[in-house]
């Protein structure tokens, strides 16, 4: 059991470095640099400091109501206000963070959780149209947020003096990737842990690598040689019928796969190949970028991997208690690689085999950097336009974000650490590369390309090389959505 925790032991150490650098790149290293520097594995705790803006602040005992997703949506930690101390380390860290901030600012927090994340934006919109100021702040899924920006639901956070967006406790990657004409209508911080739980990565089974006498891919990553071809080569070496007649995914299957996931991974892989559906142009305006040879060539190369039986399995199974679900195929040592969110590290705590994490591969070695991303439904902090005094809730969540980096993040990662005396320096490096190369495909993040993503996924799975015509058919609608979004700020 000790061996099974080698990945998990990295996370406490990594958390200690997050307060200073979790959301941005260092001055001497550009995002996506594939050569880890010595600072990448620095586990020194950041300088202990206090929040500078408590002095003289008094919110007069006011209660601030926050609209939020389900507290444990998709087994991710989404809660803002725990009801009580329970002895569970993350719950209690968040609870104690709130006690501190509420005492310092003289206020209370009320959390209202929506049972349907897809309807949150429209629910908020109805209240805003009725000029009802029920919610002081709202955590809205990124995939539905563009409608709210277009309709003017959210206040510009840059105009709120109590929110210090230029500080490290706000996600600088998100802010720079999604600003519209230099303005930010939503933000992300460690006040809400879904941003970390939803970070996509590649899990791999170290014990299976040992049995197959294969080298762990850590050095490939360091050398900038962790590519799709190398991932498929290792996947092919692992694929084995193991007595089965086929690689069909059934309850009776014993076969071994090279890589397993579900089809939400495909756009993330394409993003990792340095191609996007929509990107931010040099002029600061989102631009369609999937109607290029580079995008289509990346799709064609990915399709060859996906269509190779045994090397790859799309285990699109919704019931995670079933043997055929991708997480259970990995937990049962029946796939070498698994594409999933970082949240799975908590679920795999009982897994006896040793495993590690990797960034998504490059398309080829000519690609300059690795690229990572989050779930497109990740919750984003917003302030509705109906809030007549946004400076108050801005101060509250600025303080919560600061205190979260200082006290909640170490506890969050501690959940994944059972043997604190051990270190997996390789995985520390990999996690740092993943977090430092995070960015967002705007088409996916804002759901502008949702229909096209479905078409591309279907073609990838079925070996249908009609990407160019599919893109051409959807472009007018995508461009119309982008234009409405851009013009909403004029």
């Amino acid at each position: 059991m000790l061996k099974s925790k080698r990945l998990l032991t990295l996370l406490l150490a990594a958390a200690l470095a997050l307060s200073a650098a979790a959301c941005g790149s260092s001055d001497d290293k550009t995002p996506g640099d594939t050569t880890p520097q010595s600072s990448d594995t620095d586990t020194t705790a950041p300088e202990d400091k206090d929040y500078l803006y408590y002095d003289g602040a008094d919110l007069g005992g006011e209660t601030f109501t926050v609209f939020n997703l389900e507290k444990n949506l998709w087994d991710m930690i989404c809660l803002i206000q725990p009801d009580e101390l329970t002895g569970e380390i993350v719950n209690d860290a968040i609870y104690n963070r709130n006690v501190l901030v509420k005492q310092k600012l003289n206020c209370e927090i009320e959390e209202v959780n929506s049972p349907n994340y897809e309807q949150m934006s429209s629910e908020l919109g109805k209240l805003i149209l009725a000029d009802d100021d029920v919610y002081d702040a709202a955590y809205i899924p990124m995939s539905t947020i563009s409608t709210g920006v277009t309709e003017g639901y959210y206040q510009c956070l840059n105009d709120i003096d109590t929110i210090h967006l230029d500080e490290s406790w706000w996600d600088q990657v998100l802010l720079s990737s999604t600003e519209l004409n230099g303005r930010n209508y939503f933000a992300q911080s460690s006040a809400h842990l879904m941003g970390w739980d939803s970070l996509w990565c590649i899990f791999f089974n170290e014990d299976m690598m040992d049995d197959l006498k294969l080298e762990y891919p850590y050095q490939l990553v360091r050398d900038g040689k962790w590519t799709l071809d190398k991932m498929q080569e290792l996947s092919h070496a692992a694929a084995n019928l193991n007595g089965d007649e086929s690689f069909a995914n059934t309850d009776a299957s014993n076969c071994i796969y090279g890589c397993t996931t579900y089809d939400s991974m495909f756009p993330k892989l394409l993003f990792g190949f340095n191609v996007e559906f929509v990107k931010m142009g040099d002029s600061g305006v989102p631009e369609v970028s999937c109607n290029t040879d580079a995008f289509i060539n990346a799709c064609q190369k990915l399709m060859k991997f996906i269509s190779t039986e045994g090397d790859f399995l799309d285990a699109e199974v919704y019931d995670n208690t079933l043997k055929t679900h991708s997480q259970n195929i990995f937990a049962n040592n029946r796939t070498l690689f698994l594409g999933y969110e970082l949240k799975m590290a908590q679920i795999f705590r009982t897994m006896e085999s040793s495993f590690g994490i990797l960034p998504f591969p490059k398309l080829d070695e000519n690609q300059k950097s690795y690229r990572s991303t989050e779930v497109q439904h990740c919750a984003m902090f917003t302030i509705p336009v109906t809030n007549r005094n946004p400076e108050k809730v801005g101060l509250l969540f600025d303080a919560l974000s600061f205190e979260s980096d200082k006290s909640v993040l170490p506890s969050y990662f501690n959940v994944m650490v059972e043997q604190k005396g051990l270190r997996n320096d390789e995985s520390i490096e990999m996690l740092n590369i993943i977090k430092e190369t995070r960015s967002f495909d705007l088409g996916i993040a804002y759901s502008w390309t949702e229909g096209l993503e479905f078409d591309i996924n279907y073609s990838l799975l079925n070996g249908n090389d009609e990407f160019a015509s599919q893109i051409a058919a959807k472009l007018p609608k995508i461009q119309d959505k982008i234009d409405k979004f851009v013009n909403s700020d004029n």
Side-chain angles (χ1 to χ4, degrees):
M1 188 65 70
L2 291 179
K3 188 179 181 185
S4 70
K5 309 306 184 299
R6 291 180 60 193
L7 162 68
L8 306 179
T9 58
L10 75 95
L11 295 167
L12 176 61
L16 296 176
L18 289 176
S19 295
C23 298
S25 304
S26 61
D27 293 338
D28 59 348
K29 183 176 178 181
T30 58
D33 188 343
T34 60
T35 305
Q37 299 180 359
S38 59
S39 60
D40 280 348
T41 54
D42 182 10
T43 59
T44 304
E47 180 182 356
D48 188 24
K49 59 181 181 179
D50 294 325
Y51 184 64
L52 298 176
Y53 307 101
Y54 287 135
D55 291 346
D58 188 339
L59 298 179
E62 188 172 340
T63 297
F64 295 91
T65 305
V66 184
F67 191 35
N68 193 16
L69 297 80
E70 295 178 50
K71 293 186 177 183
N72 294 292
L73 182 65
W74 302 315
D75 296 319
M76 297 185 188
I77 302 170
C78 300
L79 82 168
I80 292 293
Q81 174 63 53
D83 296 327
E84 59 184 356
L85 292 169
T86 64
E88 195 279 319
I89 190 169
V90 174
N91 177 90
D92 292 358
I94 296 172
Y95 184 94
N96 289 328
R97 172 202 70 187
N98 291 359
V99 168
L100 171 64
V101 172
K102 289 188 294 185
Q103 182 181 36
K104 291 282 190 179
L105 297 179
N106 185 24
C107 66
E108 295 295 332
I109 302 171
E110 179 184 10
E111 178 179 358
V112 177
N113 301 98
S114 172
N116 189 335
Y117 74 93
E118 294 179 319
Q119 299 300 319
M120 289 182 67
S121 182
S122 60
E123 289 178 35
L124 184 63
K126 291 177 182 177
L127 294 171
I128 289 171
L129 292 174
D131 198 27
D132 193 336
D133 61 348
V134 171
Y135 299 119
D136 298 288
Y139 275 93
I140 302 296
M142 193 175 186
S143 57
T144 66
I145 212 163
S146 66
T147 299
V149 174
T150 301
E151 298 297 328
Y153 294 167
Y154 315 121
Q155 303 199 29
C156 177
L157 300 180
N158 311 80
D159 296 337
I160 302 172
D161 293 339
T162 53
I163 301 178
H164 302 91
L165 289 183
D166 59 339
E167 294 285 3
S168 63
W169 51 88
W170 291 101
D171 188 334
Q172 301 304 314
V173 172
L174 176 91
L175 292 170
S176 62
S177 299
T178 60
E179 65 181 15
L180 177 61
N181 297 327
R183 297 164 68 81
N184 299 99
Y185 294 91
F186 54 92
Q188 180 176 253
S189 73
S190 295
H192 198 294
L193 292 175
M194 191 179 187
W196 291 110
D197 266 351
S198 69
L199 191 62
W200 273 84
C201 58
I202 303 292
F203 292 85
F204 77 98
N205 189 312
E206 291 184 338
D207 286 8
M208 290 179 65
M209 286 270 188
D210 292 340
D211 293 341
L212 293 166
K213 295 181 171 52
L214 298 172
E215 293 291 330
Y216 299 163
Y218 298 127
Q219 191 59 46
L220 290 172
V221 176
R222 295 187 189 102
D223 295 339
K225 297 180 179 181
W226 174 235
T227 64
L228 179 62
D229 285 341
K230 180 55 68 172
M231 184 173 177
Q232 183 166 12
E233 176 187 325
L234 295 172
S235 296
H236 188 73
N240 189 336
L241 284 172
N242 198 29
D244 289 351
E245 294 183 357
S246 74
F247 285 105
N249 183 24
T250 70
D251 289 338
S253 296
N254 295 303
C255 55
I256 310 297
Y257 301 103
C259 179
T260 303
T261 186
Y262 63 106
D263 57 19
S264 288
M265 180 184 178
F266 302 157
K268 278 71 174 179
L269 278 166
L270 290 172
F271 186 79
F273 299 157
N274 200 30
V275 296
E276 295 152 275
F277 287 89
V278 178
K279 67 179 182 179
M280 188 65 75
D282 294 336
S283 62
V285 175
E287 299 175 352
V288 172
S289 55
C290 55
N291 55 342
T292 62
D293 290 340
F295 187 93
I296 292 171
N297 291 338
C299 289
Q300 291 171 335
K301 189 167 183 179
L302 178 57
M303 185 175 66
K304 291 179 182 178
F305 177 32
I306 290 172
S307 61
T308 304
E309 194 175 31
D311 289 9
F312 187 90
L313 172 70
D314 176 46
E316 188 70 14
V317 178
Y318 293 99
D319 186 348
N320 62 11
T321 66
L322 298 177
K323 179 184 176 182
T324 51
H325 193 281
S326 55
Q327 74 180 51
N328 297 322
I329 293 173
F330 184 79
N332 292 326
N333 303 308
R334 292 186 50 236
T335 184
L336 181 61
F337 295 111
L338 173 72
Y340 232 106
E341 300 97 347
L342 186 60
K343 68 167 187 180
M344 296 306 299
Q346 299 180 60
I347 294 173
F348 292 147
R349 280 188 295 157
T350 58
M351 183 175 171
E352 293 188 2
S353 296
S354 176
F355 61 89
I357 59 171
L358 303 164
F360 273 52
K362 299 179 183 180
L363 184 65
D364 55 47
E365 291 185 29
N366 294 322
Q367 185 176 321
K368 182 180 178 181
S369 62
Y370 301 105
R371 300 215 307 173
S372 308
T373 193
E374 300 171 12
V375 169
Q376 65 266 36
H377 307 301
C378 190
M380 298 292 151
F381 172 73
T382 68
I383 298 180
V385 294
T386 47
N387 187 325
R388 271 74 170 179
N389 197 346
E391 288 79 11
K392 288 185 176 182
V393 77
L395 175 61
L396 171 60
F397 275 88
D398 199 65
L400 288 172
S401 299
F402 175 92
E403 299 295 354
S404 296
D405 272 11
K406 187 176 179 181
S407 64
V408 175
L409 275 182
S411 298
Y412 163 72
F413 285 111
N414 233 343
V415 169
M416 304 181 202
V417 180
E418 293 194 8
Q419 307 300 327
K420 298 178 183 139
L422 301 178
R423 288 290 175 90
N424 183 333
D425 291 335
E426 294 91 347
S427 285
I428 292 174
E429 289 183 62
M430 300 303 108
L431 181 61
N432 280 323
I433 290 172
I434 292 168
K435 73 180 179 63
E436 290 174 7
T437 58
R438 291 176 305 119
S439 192
F440 304 87
D441 184 320
L442 297 182
I444 296 173
Y446 295 143
S447 295
W448 292 334
T449 57
E450 187 174 21
L452 179 56
E453 291 168 54
F454 178 86
D455 292 345
I456 297 293
N457 282 354
Y458 185 84
S459 293
L460 287 169
L461 282 170
N462 292 279
N464 180 15
D465 188 2
E466 296 183 358
F467 306 114
S469 61
Q470 291 171 334
I471 293 168
K474 291 291 196 300
L475 274 186
K477 188 174 182 180
I478 295 170
Q479 188 62 56
D480 183 58
K481 292 178 180 179
I482 293 174
D483 292 342
K484 288 181 179 178
F485 180 84
V486 172
N487 293 333
S488 68
D489 193 58
N490 294 332

